[in-house]
Amino acid sequence: MLMVIGRRLLQSFVTVFAAITLIFFLFSVMPGTFVSAVSGDKRDIDPAVIERIEKELGLNDPLPERFGRYIGGLVTGDLGTSFATQRPVTDMLSTRIVASFRLAVGAIFFAVLIGLPLGFLAAVRQGTWLDTTAMITAVSGLSLPSFWFGLIAMYFVSLQLGLLPTFGYGNGSIKNLILPAITLGIGPMALLARTTRAAVLETMNADFVRTARSKGNSEFRIATKHMARNAFVLVLTTIGLQFGSMLGGSVVIENLFAWPGIGSLLIQSVSMRDIPTVQGCILVIVLFFLVINTLVDIAYLMIDPRIRYG
């Protein structure tokens, strides 16, 4: 297990370095700077003022010097200072990451709560109306754009029925979390349902299932003890990948529901060319994805001993 963790940490370090290097140089060669994004098309701004601001922000320094300064700051835990707010990026992220994490947990909870039993029941009732209904639901969830689904949910649930708030964080209220979490989790729920169904169907035809059935075990015991555990490795992969990508995938949902998370901060920062904040947001998203996938790898070792000695 220590070798797996060490190998994953090494791979994660390479991935993080590649990601931050790509983002840094990409935004460095893009046309426009923070000063031009803020000033827009205003022609009455003194070029000397613009030059002075860019010099204070270090935008006129050579590219290798700026990159070296940024890497040096990362080593000490300093993500830089936001061009727009003049606040440390770490402080800005610390106030946003809790909201994004709550949204991701709520979305994956909804996906697992609905998708896992839906796919399992569809497999054990293959060919019945339950299987057909479950798969129609799964295909619909994968086909519907989350942005469109969120707008429809806001219109009917919030505006027409008045059951839940339309947008906002609401000081961490569960009511404010429900609609964004369902909207973000509808796609992963559908994918999880289809993956669970496929994994259980494959397991149903395995030799150990026929052996358990020949020994007189009940269908309920076979389904819960034998099929579920062996199918869970593939299901766990889907859960891990979907949960790991939640922060990156929540950009649209956070803006739609005015949710004060990493995604909405990323959009605001990109539009203003606030490079330190953009780099900080992407770094958090990449780290979150890598941590979740490392935990999934460790879980493999606990669930399936064949992976441990393979």
Side-chain angles (χ1 to χ4, degrees), residues 6-284:
R7 185 164 59 249
R8 289 295 296 176
L9 288 176
L10 180 60
Q11 293 173 352
S12 299
F13 173 79
V14 175
T15 303
V16 170
F17 182 79
I20 61 178
T21 301
L22 177 63
I23 295 302
F24 181 88
F25 284 101
L26 179 63
F27 273 85
S28 297
V29 300
M30 285 179 61
T33 62
F34 168 74
V35 179
S36 61
V38 173
S39 60
D41 295 329
K42 297 179 181 178
R43 308 292 185 181
D44 56 346
I45 298 180
D46 189 351
V49 174
I50 296 178
E51 184 178 357
R52 178 176 58 82
I53 296 175
E54 291 181 345
K55 183 178 180 180
E56 291 176 355
L57 296 177
L59 297 176
N60 293 330
D61 295 338
L63 192 58
E65 180 181 337
R66 283 188 284 154
F67 183 66
R69 188 164 57 237
Y70 177 65
I71 295 299
L74 286 181
V75 174
T76 61
D78 181 14
L79 299 180
T81 302
S82 169
F83 291 161
T85 64
Q86 291 300 301
R87 291 176 55 197
V89 175
T90 51
D91 292 348
M92 297 176 62
L93 293 176
S94 63
T95 61
R96 298 269 190 155
I97 194 170
V98 175
S100 287
F101 185 75
R102 289 184 71 244
L103 179 58
V105 170
I108 203 66
F109 176 78
F110 167 77
V112 173
L113 183 66
I114 304 299
L116 200 61
L118 193 65
F120 190 84
L121 291 175
V124 298
R125 294 291 187 268
Q126 184 184 12
T128 65
W129 66 269
L130 181 60
D131 183 20
T132 303
T133 303
M135 288 304 97
I136 290 176
T137 303
V139 172
S140 300
L142 288 172
S143 304
L144 295 177
S146 58
F147 184 83
W148 181 86
F149 179 84
L151 290 175
I152 297 299
M154 290 170 64
Y155 177 76
F156 285 103
V157 178
S158 298
L159 299 180
Q160 295 297 317
L161 301 177
L163 298 178
L164 296 170
T166 307
F167 57 85
Y169 191 63
N171 295 321
S173 172
I174 295 296
K175 287 185 176 182
N176 292 74
L177 175 64
I178 294 176
L179 273 186
I182 292 177
T183 303
L184 181 60
I186 194 71
M189 179 276 294
L191 180 61
L192 184 58
R194 296 191 64 180
T195 303
T196 303
R197 180 181 182 273
V200 173
L201 285 176
E202 182 180 355
T203 308
M204 288 174 64
N205 299 320
D207 292 337
F208 64 86
V209 173
R210 288 193 291 267
T211 301
R213 188 174 286 115
S214 66
K215 291 181 178 180
N217 289 294
S218 65
E219 291 298 323
F220 178 80
R221 179 179 176 83
I222 293 173
T224 56
K225 184 177 180 180
H226 297 281
M227 290 192 300
R229 181 175 180 181
N230 285 273
F232 190 65
V233 174
L234 179 59
V235 173
L236 182 63
T237 303
T238 304
I239 295 175
L241 290 174
Q242 293 300 308
F243 186 48
S245 61
M246 284 291 181
L247 286 190
S250 65
V251 173
V252 175
I253 306 304
E254 287 186 2
N255 280 274
L256 177 63
F257 288 94
W259 192 263
I262 299 293
S264 58
L265 178 62
L266 178 60
I267 291 295
Q268 298 169 11
S269 303
V270 168
S271 63
M272 298 183 65
R273 299 293 194 276
D274 190 354
I275 298 177
T277 307
V278 171
Q279 292 169 339
C281 291
I282 294 178
L283 179 62
V284 169

